[in-house]
């Protein structure tokens, strides 16, 4: 999905408004952090001498602003990874700071806001350039959901090589589960699952649907296994590099390279979504 310049600017304005309302609400709160709260107490609590009605008024204004701004985190992918909880949106969940075992501290909210604003400004710049050049904008958050969900935690902290590796592993593991193939992994799994040979008991195949006499169907059926194995080899190579400390120090993946690699996996994931699962005794249309 592409985002217009106007939409991105509206999001940026909403985040600016959230930032103002958050600062205003914080004037009524005592600010702490996870170290001082020992991980079991809130990271904010009401200041003495501030009336409950004053706090409620500012809190409601902040909640409304958060509702308008939280879409910006989804658009930019600026989530925070919380141990045991996965990826969370700090803007949408700002109120968790007032609860025991607070997941966020005020510093987390401010850093997220700054991160989102920076990313939105970059996306606006790119979208404006695309509008003038008729080039569509690109956001990794619009990739296949399976790929982006796996990549997002590492992508948002700029670990692009690891993000691609996580996406590659997630795609393989997803289809191993769907096909019940815990007995093999990696390249062998893809070679067997996308083999043009008929399925045998215990080894189902992923097959492009349609009549093989159709030229398009025939091309897809012959090309998909080669594409899959090539991408799997890429993932294997990334894993090998990550295990080699010296090679890792010398070779990193930048954001542009990471986007291109994730896009390749996303394309493959969408192709696989259209395949049928064919076992020795039945064919299951993919959903």
């Amino acid at each position: 999905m592409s985002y217009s310049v106007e939409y991105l600017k509206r999001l940026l304005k909403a985040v600016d408004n959230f930032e103002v309302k958050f600062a205003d609400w914080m004037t009524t709160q005592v600010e702490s952090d996870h170290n001082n709260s020992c991980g079991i107490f809130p990271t904010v609590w009401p200041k003495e001498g501030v009336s409950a009605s004053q706090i409620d008024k500012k809190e409601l204004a902040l909640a409304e602003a958060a509702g308008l701004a939280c879409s910006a985190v989804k658009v930019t992918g600026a989530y925070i990874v919380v141990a045991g909880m996965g990826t969370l949106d700090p803007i949408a969940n700002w109120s968790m700071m007032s609860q025991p075992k607070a997941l966020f501290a005020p510093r987390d909210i401010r850093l997220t806001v700054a991160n989102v604003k920076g990313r939105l400004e970059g996306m606006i710049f790119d979208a404006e350039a695309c509008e003038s050049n008729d080039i569509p904008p690109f956001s990794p958050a619009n990739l296949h959901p399976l790929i982006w969900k796996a990549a997002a935690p590492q992508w948002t902290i700029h670990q692009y090589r690891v993000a691609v590796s996580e996406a590659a592993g997630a795609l393989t593991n997803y289809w191993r589960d769907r096909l019940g193939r815990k007995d093999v992994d990696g390249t062998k799994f893809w070679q067997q699952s996308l083999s043009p040979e008929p399925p045998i008991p215990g080894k189902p195949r992923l097959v492009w649907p349609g009549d093989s006499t159709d030229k398009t169907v025939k091309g897809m059926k012959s090309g998909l296994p080669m594409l899959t194995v090539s991408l799997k080899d890429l993932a294997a190579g990334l894993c090998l590099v990550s295990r080699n400390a010296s090679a890792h120090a010398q070779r990193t993946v930048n954001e542009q390279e990471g986007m291109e690699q994730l896009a390749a996996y996303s394309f493959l994931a969408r192709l696989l979504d259209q395949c049928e699962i064919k076992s020795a005794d039945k064919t299951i249309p993919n959903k």
Side-chain angles (χ1 to χ4, degrees):
M1 177 179 178
S2 299
Y3 300 106
S4 68
V5 173
E6 181 182 358
Y7 175 69
L8 294 172
K9 286 183 175 179
R10 286 203 305 269
L11 276 186
L12 182 57
K13 184 177 180 180
V15 175
D16 283 335
N17 183 52
F18 172 83
E19 185 176 30
V20 171
K21 293 295 190 291
F22 181 77
D24 188 38
W25 178 71
M26 283 301 299
T27 62
T28 69
Q29 304 292 307
V30 176
E31 179 173 341
S32 184
D33 55 34
H34 289 113
N35 290 330
N36 291 317
S37 68
C38 302
I40 58 175
F41 298 112
T43 53
V44 295
W45 57 88
K47 289 181 178 178
E48 292 185 10
V50 180
S51 68
S53 61
Q54 184 181 358
I55 294 175
D56 288 345
K57 183 178 179 180
K58 294 179 183 295
E59 196 168 67
L60 288 173
L62 177 55
E64 182 178 353
L68 291 170
C70 63
S71 294
V73 173
K74 179 180 178 180
V75 168
T76 59
Y79 295 96
I80 287 182
V81 181
V82 179
M85 299 293 290
T87 55
L88 295 178
D89 177 347
I91 291 178
N93 296 289
W94 63 272
S95 61
M96 288 183 174
M97 296 188 300
S98 302
Q99 300 173 4
K101 297 184 179 180
L103 297 179
F104 301 112
R107 182 174 181 271
D108 298 322
I109 308 300
R110 295 189 186 102
L111 287 175
T112 298
V113 168
N115 192 354
V116 168
K117 289 173 66 175
R119 293 187 184 207
L120 283 174
E121 288 169 357
M123 291 174 72
I124 290 170
F125 178 83
D126 291 341
E128 288 175 336
C130 288
E131 284 186 356
S132 61
N133 295 311
D134 295 324
I135 301 174
F138 177 80
S139 169
N142 296 322
L143 296 170
H144 188 283
L146 174 66
I147 300 302
W148 179 237
K149 182 179 179 181
Q154 296 298 327
W155 188 274
T156 54
I157 58 175
H158 311 299
Q159 297 296 316
Y160 304 119
R161 178 188 54 77
V162 182
V164 173
S165 182
E166 289 292 317
L171 184 63
T172 299
N173 291 334
Y174 172 81
W175 283 106
R176 285 178 64 218
D177 289 341
R178 286 291 306 274
L179 273 60
R181 295 301 311 274
K182 297 290 188 178
D183 55 318
V184 291
D185 56 20
T187 302
K188 184 176 290 187
F189 165 74
W190 290 115
Q191 288 174 334
Q192 293 181 5
S193 300
L194 290 161
S195 169
E197 298 297 322
I200 60 177
K203 295 181 180 180
R205 304 280 192 256
L206 278 169
V207 180
W208 189 262
D211 186 351
S212 294
T213 59
D214 182 276
K215 289 185 178 181
T216 301
V217 173
K218 186 177 180 180
M220 289 300 301
K221 286 188 173 184
S222 61
L224 191 59
M226 291 186 288
L227 174 62
T228 306
V229 172
S230 296
L231 288 174
K232 188 56 197 173
D233 287 343
L234 171 63
L238 289 170
C239 291
L240 287 173
V241 170
S242 68
R243 295 191 189 104
N244 187 316
S246 61
H248 173 56
Q250 296 173 8
R251 178 73 180 100
T252 59
V253 174
N254 61 37
E255 185 174 15
Q256 179 63 33
E257 292 172 327
M259 284 195 295
E260 292 170 357
Q261 292 171 13
L262 285 181
Y265 282 109
S266 179
F267 174 64
L268 173 60
R270 296 189 195 281
L271 292 178
L272 294 174
D273 281 346
Q274 300 177 63
C275 289
E276 295 175 339
I277 300 174
K278 184 168 289 189
S279 63
D281 57 350
K282 62 181 178 180
T283 297
I284 303 173
N286 205 0
K287 297 181 179 179

